[in-house]
Amino acid sequence: MSSADSSAESGAGFPVLAVRGPLVFQPVKRRRCGVCRGGPLTLLALEDGQPRCLDCADLGHLVFLQRGDTALTRRAREESGLCAVVVRFHRRRGRYERQGLLVEETALARAEARCLADAEARARRRARDAERRAAEDVRFVAAFAAAIRRLFPGCPEERAVAIAGHAGLRGSGRVGRSAAGRALSEGAVTAAVRAAVRHGDTPYDRLLMEGVARREARVRVAGTVGAVLDRWATEAGTGAA
Ligand SMILES: [Zn+2]
């Protein structure tokens, strides 16, 4: 289609559309095919300034692919021997705008299959990444638990694993995922154990529920927390509790 043909459709001057292959219009007005009189047409081609239905323009075997999916559009164009750009005149903007493509149905199917294969490849990669992260988590928790048991040999193994798992929860922002936690520093390990003992071995949580101020509650349980930590630090390992 020449740009003169496109002008005829809009009845107005318009910027030249640089498209390869046939151009197809979504008509703004009701139009009928100049050959078979079919219509009103939802899509038409122009020949000598006259509207043609897609069948009369030998484009009837093509299917419409709405614009929007860039990868699918590019691939459908690559796969399709014959490919028509579909445009519609936007009155307010005073220009033709692309609406999509007419492509061969088999080409669209192949393009969709390629995009699907990509999506499946991405899904497989995500699954592998998730597995890798899970393995990292397992290693991290084991290392953290071992660090707890080195500093606190008297801490029952079950408790150590539970504290490490709690500290290592991905994205929790707890001490275990901090840089110090990653490095399994003595400070980070001790902080995690101290917090676990405070919540699990003292009435700290109950005090908070009863309305005791946090600072006051911490003071009240500090002796018990310190005693448990001291015992765990000095006691020989008791093995799996
Ligand atoms: Zn026709």
Side-chain angles (χ1 to χ4, degrees):
M1 292 300 121
S2 70
S3 54
D5 289 336
S6 308
S7 268
E9 153 62 14
S10 72
F14 75 106
V16 173
L17 281 164
V19 301
R20 209 158 33 107
L23 193 54
V24 167
F25 300 87
Q26 283 181 351
V28 177
K29 304 174 217 156
R30 291 168 65 87
R31 309 292 288 271
R32 291 190 169 276
C33 176
V35 176
C36 71
R37 306 308 301 164
L41 303 172
T42 54
L43 291 172
L44 62 85
L46 287 171
E47 282 178 356
D48 305 323
Q50 295 304 307
R52 299 280 184 266
C53 74
L54 295 186
D55 285 329
C56 290
D58 290 338
L59 299 172
H61 61 301
L62 302 180
V63 294
F64 181 59
L65 170 59
Q66 180 82 36
R67 64 172 299 181
D69 187 330
T70 312
L72 183 61
T73 295
R74 178 170 47 77
R75 286 171 167 171
R77 186 194 291 276
E78 285 168 8
E79 296 280 352
S80 201
L82 181 60
C83 173
V85 173
V86 177
V87 298
R88 182 179 175 83
F89 189 71
H90 194 292
R91 284 185 196 280
R92 195 154 40 77
R93 299 191 189 123
R95 62 165 189 247
Y96 283 94
E97 295 186 335
R98 292 176 186 240
Q99 305 300 311
L101 293 178
L102 287 172
V103 294
E104 292 159 358
E105 194 162 11
T106 52
L108 181 56
R110 283 195 298 273
E112 283 169 340
R114 284 168 63 187
C115 288
L116 187 61
D118 273 5
E120 283 167 357
R122 280 196 298 277
R124 282 195 299 274
R125 192 170 62 225
R126 275 197 300 275
R128 281 199 305 279
D129 288 348
E131 271 175 35
R132 184 171 45 69
R133 280 196 300 274
E136 282 171 1
D137 283 354
V138 168
R139 281 197 295 275
F140 177 83
V141 168
F144 203 104
I148 290 172
R149 298 268 289 168
R150 273 197 300 278
L151 285 172
F152 302 98
C155 174
E157 183 151 9
E158 275 180 7
R159 283 298 294 283
V161 170
I163 294 167
H166 187 71
L169 281 181
R170 181 167 289 278
S172 66
R174 295 192 184 100
V175 64
R177 280 289 160 188
S178 68
R182 273 180 214 283
L184 306 174
S185 73
E186 184 172 337
V189 171
T190 302
V193 172
R194 185 186 303 281
V197 168
R198 188 182 295 124
H199 291 288
D201 299 71
T202 78
Y204 179 69
D205 290 351
R206 183 170 53 75
L207 293 174
L208 293 185
M209 290 303 290
E210 287 170 358
V212 176
R214 200 172 61 84
R215 191 183 301 266
E216 166 64 17
R218 282 201 173 217
V219 170
R220 283 202 214 170
V221 302
T224 309
V225 172
V228 172
L229 260 59
D230 284 348
R231 184 156 50 80
W232 282 0
T234 53
E235 249 177 31
T238 52

mmCIF file with all atom_site columns, all heavy atoms in Angstrom, residues 33 35-36 53 56, ligand 1:
data_model
loop_
_atom_site.group_PDB
_atom_site.id
_atom_site.type_symbol
_atom_site.label_atom_id
_atom_site.label_alt_id
_atom_site.label_comp_id
_atom_site.label_asym_id
_atom_site.label_entity_id
_atom_site.label_seq_id
_atom_site.pdbx_PDB_ins_code
_atom_site.Cartn_x
_atom_site.Cartn_y
_atom_site.Cartn_z
_atom_site.occupancy
_atom_site.B_iso_or_equiv
_atom_site.pdbx_formal_charge
_atom_site.auth_seq_id
_atom_site.auth_comp_id
_atom_site.auth_asym_id
_atom_site.auth_atom_id
_atom_site.pdbx_PDB_model_num
ATOM   1  N  N   . CYS A 1 33 ? -16.641 -3.369  1.044  1.00 0.00 ? 33 CYS A N   1
ATOM   2  C  CA  . CYS A 1 33 ? -15.649 -3.788  0.064  1.00 0.00 ? 33 CYS A CA  1
ATOM   3  C  C   . CYS A 1 33 ? -16.067 -3.300  -1.325 1.00 0.00 ? 33 CYS A C   1
ATOM   4  O  O   . CYS A 1 33 ? -17.226 -3.473  -1.736 1.00 0.00 ? 33 CYS A O   1
ATOM   5  C  CB  . CYS A 1 33 ? -15.521 -5.306  0.068  1.00 0.00 ? 33 CYS A CB  1
ATOM   6  S  SG  . CYS A 1 33 ? -14.398 -5.926  -1.203 1.00 0.00 ? 33 CYS A SG  1
ATOM   7  N  N   . VAL A 1 35 ? -15.224 -4.483  -4.092 1.00 0.00 ? 35 VAL A N   1
ATOM   8  C  CA  . VAL A 1 35 ? -15.337 -5.581  -5.055 1.00 0.00 ? 35 VAL A CA  1
ATOM   9  C  C   . VAL A 1 35 ? -16.569 -6.432  -4.768 1.00 0.00 ? 35 VAL A C   1
ATOM   10 O  O   . VAL A 1 35 ? -17.473 -6.558  -5.604 1.00 0.00 ? 35 VAL A O   1
ATOM   11 C  CB  . VAL A 1 35 ? -14.067 -6.463  -5.051 1.00 0.00 ? 35 VAL A CB  1
ATOM   12 C  CG1 . VAL A 1 35 ? -14.224 -7.666  -5.970 1.00 0.00 ? 35 VAL A CG1 1
ATOM   13 C  CG2 . VAL A 1 35 ? -12.858 -5.628  -5.443 1.00 0.00 ? 35 VAL A CG2 1
ATOM   14 N  N   . CYS A 1 36 ? -16.623 -6.998  -3.543 1.00 0.00 ? 36 CYS A N   1
ATOM   15 C  CA  . CYS A 1 36 ? -17.715 -7.942  -3.246 1.00 0.00 ? 36 CYS A CA  1
ATOM   16 C  C   . CYS A 1 36 ? -18.859 -7.269  -2.498 1.00 0.00 ? 36 CYS A C   1
ATOM   17 O  O   . CYS A 1 36 ? -19.873 -7.899  -2.242 1.00 0.00 ? 36 CYS A O   1
ATOM   18 C  CB  . CYS A 1 36 ? -17.175 -9.133  -2.456 1.00 0.00 ? 36 CYS A CB  1
ATOM   19 S  SG  . CYS A 1 36 ? -16.720 -8.726  -0.750 1.00 0.00 ? 36 CYS A SG  1
ATOM   20 N  N   . CYS A 1 53 ? -12.163 -5.831  1.213  1.00 0.00 ? 53 CYS A N   1
ATOM   21 C  CA  . CYS A 1 53 ? -12.187 -6.737  2.362  1.00 0.00 ? 53 CYS A CA  1
ATOM   22 C  C   . CYS A 1 53 ? -10.921 -7.584  2.303  1.00 0.00 ? 53 CYS A C   1
ATOM   23 O  O   . CYS A 1 53 ? -10.245 -7.655  1.270  1.00 0.00 ? 53 CYS A O   1
ATOM   24 C  CB  . CYS A 1 53 ? -13.447 -7.588  2.359  1.00 0.00 ? 53 CYS A CB  1
ATOM   25 S  SG  . CYS A 1 53 ? -13.445 -8.900  1.120  1.00 0.00 ? 53 CYS A SG  1
ATOM   26 N  N   . CYS A 1 56 ? -10.860 -10.220 -0.499 1.00 0.00 ? 56 CYS A N   1
ATOM   27 C  CA  . CYS A 1 56 ? -10.622 -9.679  -1.831 1.00 0.00 ? 56 CYS A CA  1
ATOM   28 C  C   . CYS A 1 56 ? -9.195  -9.140  -1.971 1.00 0.00 ? 56 CYS A C   1
ATOM   29 O  O   . CYS A 1 56 ? -8.703  -8.982  -3.087 1.00 0.00 ? 56 CYS A O   1
ATOM   30 C  CB  . CYS A 1 56 ? -11.645 -8.587  -2.158 1.00 0.00 ? 56 CYS A CB  1
ATOM   31 S  SG  . CYS A 1 56 ? -13.313 -9.257  -2.416 1.00 0.00 ? 56 CYS A SG  1
HETATM 32 ZN ZN  . ZN  B 2 .  ? -14.483 -8.200  -0.819 1.00 0.00 ? 1  ZN  B ZN  1
#
